[in-house]
Amino acid sequence: MTNEITQPQTDPVHKRRSLAGLRSVKRANLWSVGSVVIAVLVLMPIVSVLWIAFHPTENIWPHLLATTLPRYAITTALLTFGVALLSACVGTGAAWLVTMYRFPLSKSLEWLLLLPLAIPAYVGAYALVDFLEYAGPVQTTLRSVFGWHSSRDYAFPEIRSLGSAIIVLAAALTPYIFLMARSAFREHSGSIYEVSRALGAGPFARFWRVGLPMARPAIAAGTAIVMMETVSDYGTVSYFAVQTLTTGIFSTWLETGNAGGAAQIASVVLLVVLLMLAFEKSSRGKARYHSGARHPRPISAIRLTGWHAWLALGLCAVPFVIGFILPVYVILGHALGEPEQWLAPGLITAFKNTLTVAGLAAIFTVTAALFMVYGVRLTGRSLPRMVLPLTTLGYAAPGAVLGIGILFPLAAFDNALADLIVNITGHEIGLLLTGSAFAIIFAYCVRFFAIAQGAADAAMGRVAPSLPMAARSLGQTLGGTLRRVYIPLIRGSVGTALLLVFVDCVKELPATLLLRPFNYNTLATRVHEKASLEQLEQASPAALLVISVGLVAVLLMARSENASDLT
């Protein structure tokens, strides 16, 4: 009796399916590896700053701690908490008034109060000083009315001061808190406030004991954004001669030439920002605030009459006037006063440079974000999913910090590459990366990657999983599924992300100042340079162009808010 061993027959169809599945897994792994590479590039500047800070060529920690660092830290703390407190009070109060009450122009103020977002804080600083300085219209009018002849005849507050910096930054950043607080108040059921009124709660009690506690997470998130933006500001504080940690980075690096000291101050700034992020997340995690109604009743706004209505209008109009009307009035007046400045060669060059670097940065950032989010969704590995949230740290890091973290490793690589090419070819090509706009574009991509990543992640999450699965079953590759299924369905979100990243790149100042090549200006750096030389007439056209770009984004935001309200 013979034992026959039957060899399994290879099924050709099964074999083809196995090979196809293996190729699909390899492609998914390639997308996953690409996602990790993108994350490494985004995180590289932050890691670079920490490395330089703890491995400096000259350790000046003792000198910094004994001299300038405490002053920088105290001033930064006073500025940050002052701006946060003022913005929180004004933004939350305005959001409560336009949500809970009806008074003249209350509906218009719901989007008018967003317009200060279009004004960079440094532009607001230039306008305020021009308006209030000795030769400005306010003091000129006072001298004319009261017959004063010089500044010795009257007392006027110091304009370039910490208090003025707090007012300007709060005016520019209050819309962040206003937008989040207004959304939080609207999400509450109107029955909650009706019950509190029936129980005898007055207007202040309804705000303090009902509305404010329920909106606290949103207000805390908005305040955290305001504080991070304040810490990262350079144009405003430098113009007001307020010495903060960010100005310390510039002075330590550019004036004393100590890169290690600048990196050490930058690491302190980064630590402060990370502590703010941790505090904001922990405060949200301690409590949950839910609406008790499955279908919450809309809030029935109370109509104000008499002096109450005009008081509410006045209170809401103040941040709009200071944050938008005043800067536009001053800048537009200078721009129209000397129209020949619109044809200045420096302005045209700066405009072209701005379009180039901001446009390329927006395209690269959104493309990389789409690639990364799609790659993370394809993979089941934990590493890409872990690094995805870390890429948002670039947005929290100030531009000056990213500038240091990008310039030094990029310059080292650039010099090594140039030396290699000289040794091989004998030709001197110069610095390809740091000698061009590449460093600026890279900084923009890192700084605003979180915006594109958040938009891409949210948009892809709204696509039904059955659609890409159907495309894959019909033979589409992973890249084909992204091009032919996802992108057509999320093109609106992609367009919005492109616009938002472009606008933020146009307004970015600290990173551009640190990384731009010699004699390379953007609109933001031209405004800063001309205003620093008290040449506001020459800075005004560039400032108006920056404001116009910001207005497009704000109006788009207001349109999307109105659309969400209708739905």
Side-chain angles (χ1 to χ4, degrees):
M1 183 176 179
T2 59
N3 293 327
E4 296 182 358
I5 300 176
T6 305
Q7 297 293 333
Q9 300 295 320
T10 302
D11 185 358
V13 176
H14 177 73
K15 185 176 181 179
R16 287 196 299 270
R17 289 179 177 174
S18 299
L19 291 175
L22 182 61
R23 286 194 294 268
S24 178
V25 171
K26 289 183 177 179
R27 293 193 190 101
N29 288 335
L30 289 176
W31 283 84
S32 175
V33 171
S35 302
V36 174
V37 170
I38 293 172
V40 170
L41 290 175
V42 172
L43 294 174
M44 183 197 74
I46 298 175
V47 176
S48 174
V49 167
L50 297 177
W51 175 265
I52 297 170
F54 288 98
H55 299 83
T57 56
E58 179 185 356
N59 183 22
I60 64 167
W61 273 118
H63 175 72
L64 288 175
L65 291 173
T67 55
T68 58
L69 191 58
R71 183 174 73 252
Y72 292 155
I74 292 173
T75 307
T76 302
L78 292 174
L79 177 70
T80 302
F81 288 109
V83 173
L85 180 62
L86 184 58
S87 298
C89 292
V90 175
T92 305
W96 175 261
L97 288 175
V98 299
T99 303
M100 303 302 298
Y101 299 97
R102 287 293 167 261
F103 49 89
L105 299 179
S106 58
K107 280 292 185 182
S108 299
L109 283 166
E110 291 187 7
W111 65 271
L112 288 176
L113 285 168
L114 299 178
L115 294 184
L117 282 176
I119 310 294
Y122 51 85
V123 173
Y126 309 148
L128 183 68
V129 171
D130 185 80
F131 188 69
L132 296 179
E133 67 178 350
Y134 180 79
V138 172
Q139 294 199 48
T140 301
T141 302
L142 288 175
R143 290 195 299 272
S144 175
V145 171
F146 294 100
W148 295 327
H149 300 287
S150 67
S151 59
R152 294 190 297 270
D153 297 334
Y154 61 97
F156 199 84
E158 178 62 37
I159 304 171
R160 304 197 183 203
S161 62
L162 178 63
S164 297
I166 290 175
I167 293 173
V168 168
L169 286 168
L173 301 175
T174 290
Y176 287 113
I177 299 178
F178 169 79
L179 187 61
M180 294 187 176
R182 188 189 64 176
S183 299
F185 290 141
R186 284 179 173 179
E187 292 171 359
H188 300 161
S189 175
S191 59
I192 298 175
Y193 300 105
E194 293 175 4
V195 170
S196 63
R197 289 180 65 188
L199 293 175
F204 182 77
R206 291 196 299 273
F207 168 74
W208 188 256
R209 301 176 61 182
V210 181
L212 186 60
M214 296 183 67
R216 194 187 77 177
I219 297 171
T223 305
I225 294 175
V226 168
M227 295 175 75
M228 287 187 288
E229 291 288 342
T230 302
V231 170
S232 65
D233 178 79
Y234 173 73
T236 305
V237 292
S238 64
Y239 193 68
F240 283 130
V242 177
Q243 295 183 328
T244 64
L245 290 169
T246 304
T247 60
I249 294 174
F250 279 82
S251 61
T252 304
W253 184 5
L254 301 180
E255 295 178 10
T256 66
N258 194 312
Q264 288 171 342
I265 298 177
S267 66
V268 175
V269 176
L270 188 60
L271 177 62
V272 171
V273 171
L274 293 177
L275 288 176
M276 291 179 185
L277 283 174
F279 171 76
E280 189 268 331
K281 289 185 179 297
S282 65
S283 65
R284 286 190 299 168
K286 292 177 181 178
R288 295 291 185 268
Y289 300 85
H290 299 290
S291 175
R294 295 182 59 185
H295 302 286
R297 182 186 302 174
I299 294 174
S300 299
I302 302 173
R303 181 165 297 279
L304 298 178
T305 58
W307 68 270
H308 294 92
W310 295 109
L311 177 62
L313 173 60
L315 292 175
C316 292
V318 168
F320 170 64
V321 171
I322 296 177
F324 184 78
I325 295 296
L326 177 61
V328 171
Y329 167 76
V330 173
I331 299 298
L332 187 61
H334 284 293
L336 296 178
E338 295 188 14
E340 66 275 7
Q341 295 297 332
W342 287 93
L343 300 178
L347 174 64
I348 297 173
T349 303
F351 182 67
K352 292 179 180 178
N353 292 340
T354 301
L355 292 181
T356 301
V357 295
L360 290 175
I363 293 172
F364 291 154
T365 304
V366 173
T367 302
L370 286 171
F371 187 101
M372 183 176 184
V373 171
Y374 186 59
V376 170
R377 286 178 175 272
L378 288 176
T379 182
R381 300 178 183 274
S382 58
L383 180 59
R385 296 182 181 275
M386 289 173 57
V387 299
L388 181 64
L390 296 178
T391 57
T392 60
L393 291 177
Y395 188 70
V401 174
L402 294 179
I404 290 179
I406 288 173
L407 184 60
F408 289 104
L410 209 60
F413 175 79
D414 220 359
N415 283 291
L417 180 62
D419 293 341
L420 179 63
I421 293 176
V422 169
N423 293 332
I424 295 175
T425 65
H427 295 288
E428 181 70 44
I429 62 170
L431 301 177
L432 296 177
L433 302 181
T434 53
S436 65
F438 176 85
I440 300 177
I441 295 173
F442 184 36
Y444 290 166
C445 292
V446 174
R447 178 85 166 85
F448 305 116
F449 187 82
I451 298 175
Q453 184 246 77
D457 196 26
M460 286 189 177
R462 292 192 295 267
V463 177
S466 58
L467 296 178
M469 291 173 61
R472 296 287 292 126
S473 66
L474 293 174
Q476 283 293 327
T477 62
L478 296 176
T481 303
L482 175 62
R483 291 192 307 270
R484 300 183 179 182
V485 177
Y486 276 105
I487 291 181
L489 293 174
I490 65 175
R491 62 179 180 271
S493 297
V494 171
T496 301
L498 283 168
L499 177 61
L500 292 177
V501 173
F502 178 82
V503 170
D504 281 335
C505 292
V506 170
K507 296 194 297 183
E508 173 61 30
L509 180 62
T512 314
L513 286 174
L514 289 175
L515 297 173
R516 60 178 176 157
F518 177 73
N519 206 26
Y520 189 95
N521 263 337
T522 64
L523 291 175
T525 59
R526 179 176 173 82
V527 173
H528 173 73
E529 284 187 357
K530 297 301 181 182
S532 299
L533 297 173
E534 305 298 334
Q535 298 172 349
L536 200 56
E537 294 81 6
Q538 299 181 32
S540 295
L544 279 180
L545 290 174
V546 174
I547 292 172
S548 300
V549 173
L551 274 177
V552 174
V554 173
L555 294 177
L556 178 66
M557 184 188 305
R559 179 182 176 185
S560 63
E561 282 285 314
N562 292 333
S564 63
D565 292 342
L566 293 175
T567 56

